Amino acid sequence: MTGAPVRRLTVLYDGECSLCTYLRDWLVRQPQLVPLELVPAGSDEARRRHPGLDHGATLGEITVVGDAGQVYRGAGAWIVTLWALREYRPLAHRLSTPSGARLARGAVLAAAKWREMQWGAARTADAQWGAARSGDGQWGTARQSDAQWGGRVYRRADGWSYDPSWGWTYDPPGCAGGAPAAQ
């Protein structure tokens, strides 16, 4: 599918994340060279449009899907989203270089860390609220599912993995038979 023109992009974002919804609102206000459709990750609409995606993973990492089936994740997703915007296309081209890609990846990791801290604070607040209300028997302890962003460890081909308990870690991919690992 390489080389297929991109005429429309679907940005899957976490509708429960304040940073993600702020960025969604910012994106819709930007002049677009390529139309962006913003759909909450894991929603019925996202599942209907893209049944082959791992929708649990889309809650943990920005995912953008092109109209010809192209799938972009993480830093690549941010770069292609900026590429779709009239005023940010030159920046997207700079971020697509090797040194720019490192900067983009750092921004994605910083956003993930911020999200992790926000969800950690939400879990703490929910636990405190649930504990405070458990005395009257109405609510009991807070449901853990209310404060999770999607929950499980996931690993990317480029060596990065995310564990909600530990955050982001990097384990460089090895070489199989002397060839670099596929990305």
Side-chain angles (χ1 to χ4, degrees):
M1 232 170 280
T2 328
V6 177
R7 293 186 179 95
R8 178 171 300 283
L9 293 168
T10 302
V11 178
L12 301 173
Y13 68 94
D14 183 350
E16 300 295 318
C17 167
S18 61
L19 175 63
C20 302
T21 56
Y22 173 83
L23 290 171
R24 176 210 54 209
D25 294 344
W26 178 82
L27 285 169
V28 298
R29 293 190 309 265
Q30 303 306 307
Q32 300 171 3
L33 294 171
V34 175
L36 297 175
E37 297 176 337
L38 295 114
V39 176
S43 67
D44 290 340
E45 178 67 10
R47 291 176 195 283
R48 183 188 64 74
R49 288 182 181 209
H50 310 289
L53 283 179
D54 176 357
H55 290 278
T58 65
L59 285 167
E61 179 176 46
I62 182 174
T63 303
V64 176
V65 182
D67 57 339
Q70 310 93 327
V71 177
Y72 308 90
R73 298 184 192 276
W78 282 113
I79 293 169
V80 76
T81 301
L82 291 173
W83 173 83
L85 304 176
R86 184 179 70 212
E87 295 176 25
Y88 293 91
R89 187 165 277 187
L91 175 60
H93 286 291
R94 287 193 301 274
L95 291 175
S96 67
T97 65
S99 59
R102 284 191 295 274
L103 178 64
R105 191 169 20 259
V108 168
L109 293 175
K113 190 64 173 173
W114 184 88
R115 289 182 68 209
E116 176 187 345
M117 290 185 323
Q118 296 305 306
W119 282 111
R123 276 192 287 273
T124 300
D126 281 354
Q128 289 171 345
W129 181 253
R133 296 294 297 166
S134 65
D136 65 8
Q138 285 186 356
W139 293 333
T141 58
R143 291 182 310 172
Q144 188 176 5
S145 62
D146 289 342
Q148 290 184 357
W149 59 269
R152 297 178 304 276
V153 174
Y154 69 92
R155 290 170 180 71
R156 296 177 13 168
D158 64 359
W160 286 99
S161 62
Y162 184 79
D163 180 327
S165 301
W166 298 97
W168 286 96
T169 56
Y170 181 71
D171 184 21
C175 295
Q183 293 191 8

